[in-house]
Structures are given as structure tokens and as C-alpha cells.
């Protein structure tokens, strides 16, 4: 139940893939006009960045995408913003620079930072600059001898506040923040604590689990998702059969684990628990990343063990709940356990087949020493603020995305919510109905104080467009 892509994790846990960034070779930057040399342009923005207190330019791409400059940077942050003179750490972020007169899009990852250039949908729609920031406690943006009490939504929002404040001396135009899934949630929390930092927020597929203990929103979602009851039945049968055939399929899992050197003692404690967790994840993962058309790929309950195992592995990914897959995501699970909340479907159709009560919760996916009690107050506060006082907030959800079962409800203060028909966790503005897409785009450009960029309808300038909201796989955020 991670808001990250599990297929990417199973393929090797590469950071860029885990955040849904497609890597493409970037062509050389176009030559500058006769009035200004390339070296002068480089010195200008590079010198401005080097003059920002606390900022370190780690590298600049020798072959940036056409029309852009691409930098990897770090920013010195207090480990505890309540004690700004205490210990510090270096937080990674990247900059896609176009022009200091253009708007800036603050892309909040919620996870690791991709190290390759990409352009989010809002960046393309406003033809702007973009920074993408790594979430604190995701390595390498983790303090030495980290005190995990310093990982909360206010501390992370203050990280972003300090970066925005520092860079506004360079970029004085409008600022828009954006992110998908946990990244979208992160942008909302930043807006809640520092509402003057940016001029608008575009939050994609951002869960809002304000009532973590008593809601049944996820159960209601799975009872109605899609337009084919037969598909829902087939998916439920896959879970039932997998648990009935536990002995045979765990043996296949063990063989794969032995071949790949996976272990299970550090977090979940056994391969059997990891197996059950993966089976519980399967239906969620299907709707998060597949579409109604993919129902044809769901095996019948008469499928062979090999067919059943292959479908579950391709859909949910057996690699994820091994220690090697899950440990890098401890910061997410810690935040889910302590503040963010997590989905709690009841799995009533699996009664008598599961072995581990209360397994499907955030603390199960943490090493024992990091397990904590949940505090519902931060999410309740954010939920009330968004409903009553939040402004310039634009939410996009996918109609078939489980993470949209609990949505933010925006106020009437120039805030908006759109749902993309039939879309999954990759929903974005382009997936909306034509009328909604036009309205959302116009709102974003108004906040950014720009007219339609001439190139916005095409992606021919050599840079990868992140056309789908970064796909987090099944676990909130």
C-alpha cells in the first residue's frame, strides 16, 4: 500500500523510475542570440545561484535540454527547524532553468529526487522554470544520526519554505507548487503552513486520510470501481485463490527470493507475512495502475499456480515487501504511521483465509524500532483548513484510482476539484474532459500570470514531459 510504483521497485528500485520519470537523451542547448554569449548567460545564472546563502551548486549539465539550463543543487537545512542553530543536513534539489522572468514551478516529490531532467505538466503549461525537491529523510537528504521525531509535515513544509524564500531573490515572478500523490499532499501541507510562498497549488491524486480509524471509504470504492462487476469478482477470486494456495505459491516466492538474495527478517519478519501483504495489495495495485481494459488480463480462479503467481507479481510485485524493497521507503511509512494515515480496507471477502490480523497498516512496514502511535490531529487540521480557508488550490483525481476514495474538499476561495473519467493514479489535467482541462489550464495560467505558451501543445524541445502524475505505488504516498 505504497503511493509509489511497485513495478519500478521490482525492476531494481531505481530512483528515477520510482518517481515515474522517463529518462531521455537531451539534445544540446540551442545557441544564444548574437547579443549575448553562451558563457555570459552561464555566468549570470550560475553566479546568482552561487550567491544564495546556504545553496551549493553540485553540478551543471554539459548538454542541457534545448532552451534550459539544468543544475543539481543542495541547500543547507536545520535538522530541527525549532532549533535553527542546531545540527544541519544537505537537502538535494534540481533546477530546470529557463528565464528568471518566467514563473517557477516548485515540484515536491514527497520521496527521492530524480537526478535527470524532466518537466511536470504545470511547468509545460506555464512555460516556466522548475525546481524538484527531495523529501527530508530520504537518502541522501537524511541527517546523520537522524532523530525521526524531526520527520513531520511542518518540518518538511519549512524545508520548502526556506528554499522558496532563498530562491525568490533570483526568481521574482509567480510561483506555483505541484506534486502527485504524496508529492501533492506535500504541496498542500506547504501551502497550509506558508500560504504566502506560492501563488497557486496543483495537487495531483493527493489522498486525504483525515479520518484514519473509522471510515469505510475504501471498501465502498472497491464495491463500485469500474463499470464491470465481473472484473471485480475476478480480482477478488485471485486474492482468494492465492491465499488458498499459500503453500505452493510461497514456495515460488521463496525460490525467487533465494535467487535474488531477498531477506524478510528486518521489517515484516517472515516471507509468509510478506506474501500475505502482497496478496492484499493486489486489487489495490490493479486499479491504481491499470485500466478497465486490463480486466481482460485478470486470470480466472481456475488458473494454474504459475499463472496466478505471475499475475500477482506483475500487478503488485513480490520484490517490494522484501527488506531490500521496503526499507528505502521507511520515511514514507513513518509519516503514514505517525501523521498521514493509511487505507484500512476490511477485506471481508477474505475472512478465514488471512493469518495475520491488523497486518495491513503502516507500522507493519517499518522496522520495530521506528514503529509509532498515530496522531490524527495534523490531518484533521489540514482538512479543516483546506475546506474553510485554503485558496488557489487545484486538485485532480482519477475516477478509478483507489487513492481518490478520500479526497481533499476545497473551499470556494478560488479553489477547484476535477476528476478524470476512467483514469487511475496517473490522472492529470490532460486526462480531464475537454471542458475541465480548459478550465483547469486557464486557472493555472491565471495564477502564474502567463498566456498560453506557444509550444505548450507539443513536446518537441527535447525534454521529457512528465505527462502523467508521478505514479506512486500502493501505500499512501
Amino acid at each position: 500500500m505504497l503511493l509509489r510504483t511497485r513495478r519500478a521497485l521490482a525492476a531494481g528500485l531505481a530512483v528515477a523510475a520510482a518517481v515515474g520519470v522517463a529518462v531521455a537523451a537531451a539534445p544540446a542547448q540551442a545557441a544564444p542570440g548574437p547579443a549575448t554569449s553562451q558563457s555570459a548567460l552561464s555566468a549570470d545564472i550560475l553566479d546568482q545561484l552561487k550567491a544564495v546563502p546556504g545553496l551549493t551548486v553540485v553540478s551543471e549539465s554539459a548538454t542541457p535540454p534545448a532552451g534550459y539550463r539544468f543544475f543539481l543543487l543542495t541547500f543547507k537545512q536545520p535538522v530541527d527547524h525549532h532549533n535553527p542553530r542546531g545540527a544541519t543536513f544537505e537537502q538535494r534539489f534540481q533546477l530546470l532553468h529557463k528565464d528568471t522572468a518566467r514563473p517557477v514551478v516548485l515540484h515536491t516529490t514527497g520521496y527521492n529526487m530524480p537526478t535527470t531532467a524532466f518537466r511536470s505538466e504545470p511547468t509545460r503549461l506555464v512555460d516556466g522554470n522548475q525546481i524538484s525537491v527531495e523529501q527530508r529523510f530520504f537518502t541522501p537528504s537524511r541527517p546523520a544520526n537522524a532523530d525521526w521525531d524531526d520527520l513531520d509535515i511542518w518540518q518538511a513544509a519549512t524545508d520548502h519554505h526556506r528554499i522558496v524564500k532563498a530562491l525568490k531573490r533570483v526568481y521574482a515572478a509567480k510561483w506555483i507548487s505541484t506534486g502527485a500523490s504524496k508529492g501533492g499532499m506535500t504541496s498542500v501541507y506547504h501551502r497550509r503552513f506558508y500560504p504566502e510562498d506560492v501563488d497557486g497549488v496543483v495537487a495531483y491524486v493527493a489522498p486525504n486520510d483525515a479520518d484514519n480509524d473509522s471510515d469505510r471509504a475504501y471498501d465502498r470504492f472497491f464495491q463500485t470501481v469500474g463499470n464491470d462487476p465481473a472484473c471485480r469478482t475476478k480480482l477478488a477470486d485471485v486474492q482468494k485463490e492465492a491465499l488458498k494456495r499459500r503453500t505452493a505459491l510461497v514456495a515460488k516466492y521463496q525460490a525467487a527470493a533465494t535467487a535474488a538474495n531477498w531477506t524478510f527478517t528486518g521489517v515484516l519478519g517472515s516471507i509468509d507475512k510478506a506474501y500475505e501483504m502482497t496478496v492484499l495489495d493486489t486489487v489495490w495495485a490493479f486499479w491504481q495502475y491499470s485500466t478497465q481494459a486490463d480486466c481482460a488480463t485478470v486470470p480466472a480462479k481456475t488458473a494454474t499456480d504459475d499463472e496466478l503467481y505471475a499475475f500477482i507479481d506483475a500487478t503488485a510485485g513480490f520484490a517490494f515487501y522484501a527488506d531490500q524493497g521496503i526499507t528505502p521507503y521507511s520515511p514514507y511509512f513513518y509519516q503514514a504511521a505517525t501523521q498521514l494515515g493509511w487505507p484500512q480496507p476490511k477485506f471481508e471477502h477474505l475472512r478465514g483465509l488471512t493469518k495475520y490480523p491488523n497486518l495491513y497498516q503502516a507500522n507493519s512496514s517499518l522496522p520495530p524500532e521506528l514503529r509509532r502511535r498515530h496522531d490524527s490531529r495534523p490531518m484533521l487540521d489540514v482538512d479543516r483548513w483546506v475546506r474553510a480557508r485554503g485558496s488557489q488550490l487545484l486538485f485532480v483525481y482519477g475516477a478509478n484510482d483507489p487513492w481518490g476514495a478520500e479526497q481533499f474538499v476545497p473551499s470556494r476561495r478560488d479553489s477547484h476539484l476535477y476528476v478524470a473519467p476512467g483514469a487511475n493514479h496517473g490522472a492529470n489535467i490532460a486526462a480531464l474532459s475537454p471542458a475541465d482541462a480548459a478550465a483547469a489550464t486557464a486557472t493555472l495560467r491565471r495564477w502564474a500570470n502567463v498566456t498560453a505558451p506557444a509550444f505548450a501543445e507539443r513536446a518537441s524541445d527535447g525534454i521529457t514531459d512528465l505527462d502523467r502524475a508521478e505514479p506512486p505505488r500502493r501505500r499512501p504516498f
Side-chain angles (χ1 to χ4, degrees):
M1 131 182 25
L2 177 66
L3 279 171
R4 276 261 170 233
T5 138
R6 193 131 331 135
R7 293 189 187 107
L9 294 167
L13 300 174
V15 169
V19 293
V21 176
V23 180
Q29 185 173 3
T36 309
S37 70
Q38 179 66 52
S39 59
L41 286 173
S42 298
D44 179 54
I45 185 59
L46 187 58
D47 286 347
Q48 290 186 71
L49 292 172
K50 287 181 175 180
V52 175
L55 187 150
T56 299
V57 178
V58 176
S59 65
E60 179 182 359
S61 173
T63 56
Y68 293 90
R69 306 288 303 287
F70 182 59
F71 299 89
L72 299 180
L73 312 104
T74 65
F75 192 75
K76 183 174 290 187
Q77 297 281 15
V79 174
D80 179 3
H81 289 290
H82 294 294
N83 180 21
R85 296 184 179 181
T88 62
F89 73 100
E90 294 293 322
Q91 185 170 29
R92 293 197 308 173
F93 71 104
Q94 61 156 272
L95 166 65
L96 192 62
H97 168 81
K98 189 175 187 72
D99 188 324
T100 55
R102 301 298 303 170
V104 178
V105 173
L106 165 59
H107 177 266
T108 55
T109 67
Y111 293 95
N112 296 99
M113 180 204 75
T115 56
T116 53
F118 71 96
R119 183 173 53 191
S120 66
E121 186 178 59
T123 304
R124 177 171 57 83
L125 291 175
V126 304
D127 192 17
N129 309 284
Q130 177 180 283
I131 63 174
S132 184
V133 183
E134 187 163 70
Q135 181 85 348
R136 63 165 41 212
F137 278 61
F138 280 86
T139 54
S141 298
R142 181 180 296 182
N145 303 314
D147 181 349
W148 287 70
D149 288 343
D150 294 323
L151 177 57
D152 62 35
I153 62 171
W154 179 81
Q155 296 278 3
T158 307
D159 290 341
H160 291 100
H161 168 66
R162 294 185 74 250
I163 291 174
V164 171
K165 184 178 179 181
L167 286 178
K168 277 191 173 180
R169 66 181 63 197
V170 178
Y171 297 99
K174 299 291 187 179
W175 281 66
I176 302 294
S177 65
T178 192
S181 197
K182 185 173 183 287
M185 298 162 67
T186 302
S187 67
V188 174
Y189 305 151
H190 174 211
R191 178 74 165 170
R192 189 267 175 269
F193 292 114
Y194 298 99
E196 303 303 317
D197 275 3
V198 299
D199 300 284
V201 175
V202 181
Y204 296 93
V205 295
N208 177 36
D209 208 337
D211 185 5
N212 195 74
D213 298 322
S214 61
D215 68 273
R216 298 294 297 269
Y218 298 104
D219 295 296
R220 292 191 294 270
F221 171 86
F222 287 113
Q223 290 167 4
T224 59
V225 61
N227 55 22
D228 182 5
C231 182
R232 298 194 293 269
T233 299
K234 287 175 65 179
L235 286 164
D237 285 343
V238 164
Q239 290 180 301
K240 291 176 185 178
E241 286 300 312
L243 294 175
K244 290 176 182 178
R245 306 186 206 181
R246 184 190 294 259
T247 300
L249 296 187
V250 169
K252 292 181 179 294
Y253 193 5
Q254 183 62 69
T258 300
N261 294 316
W262 299 337
T263 60
F264 300 90
T265 56
V267 181
L268 282 165
S270 74
I271 193 171
D272 197 56
K273 282 187 177 180
Y275 177 79
E276 186 163 306
M277 187 74 94
T278 306
V279 172
L280 295 179
D281 259 358
T282 300
V283 174
W284 186 293
F286 178 86
W287 290 111
Q288 181 169 342
Y289 289 103
S290 302
T291 66
Q292 185 71 42
D294 295 310
C295 287
T297 69
V298 181
K301 60 182 178 181
T302 56
T304 66
D305 290 351
D306 286 345
E307 291 169 336
L308 201 59
Y309 184 93
F311 175 78
I312 295 171
D313 193 30
T315 303
F318 282 112
F320 182 75
Y321 284 110
D323 295 334
Q324 292 75 14
I326 202 170
T327 299
Y329 291 87
S330 291
Y332 157 67
F333 291 109
Y334 181 89
Q335 287 197 275
T338 55
Q339 293 187 322
L340 304 181
W342 62 92
Q344 296 190 90
K346 305 305 179 185
F347 300 109
E348 292 175 349
H349 64 293
L350 302 179
R351 283 183 180 177
L353 296 174
T354 56
K355 291 170 58 176
Y356 305 102
N358 301 316
L359 179 64
Y360 209 66
Q361 59 171 296
N363 270 322
S364 296
S365 298
L366 284 168
E369 65 272 17
L370 290 182
R371 294 172 186 171
R372 299 288 191 274
R373 295 186 64 178
H374 181 68
D375 182 358
S376 62
R377 292 172 296 179
M379 293 304 100
L380 290 170
D381 168 75
V382 172
D383 179 69
R384 286 191 295 264
W385 179 83
V386 169
R387 291 172 184 264
R389 298 170 55 198
S391 63
Q392 287 78 48
L393 296 165
L394 193 156
F395 297 97
V396 178
Y397 292 97
N400 287 358
D401 177 20
W403 291 111
E406 291 200 321
Q407 302 175 356
F408 282 101
V409 178
S411 74
R412 295 183 179 180
R413 296 171 179 257
D414 194 11
S415 295
H416 315 271
L417 186 152
Y418 298 98
V419 178
N424 57 21
H425 205 52
N428 63 0
I429 291 173
L432 299 175
S433 69
D436 285 349
T441 300
T443 296
L444 167 61
R445 288 175 174 160
R446 172 168 56 82
W447 291 344
N449 194 30
V450 298
T451 55
F455 83 95
E457 310 311 322
R458 67 184 193 277
S460 60
D461 52 6
I463 189 168
T464 298
D465 280 339
L466 194 57
D467 284 328
R468 293 162 62 83
E470 52 181 290
R473 241 219 205 262
R474 181 73 213 111
R475 276 269 168 189
F477 327 7

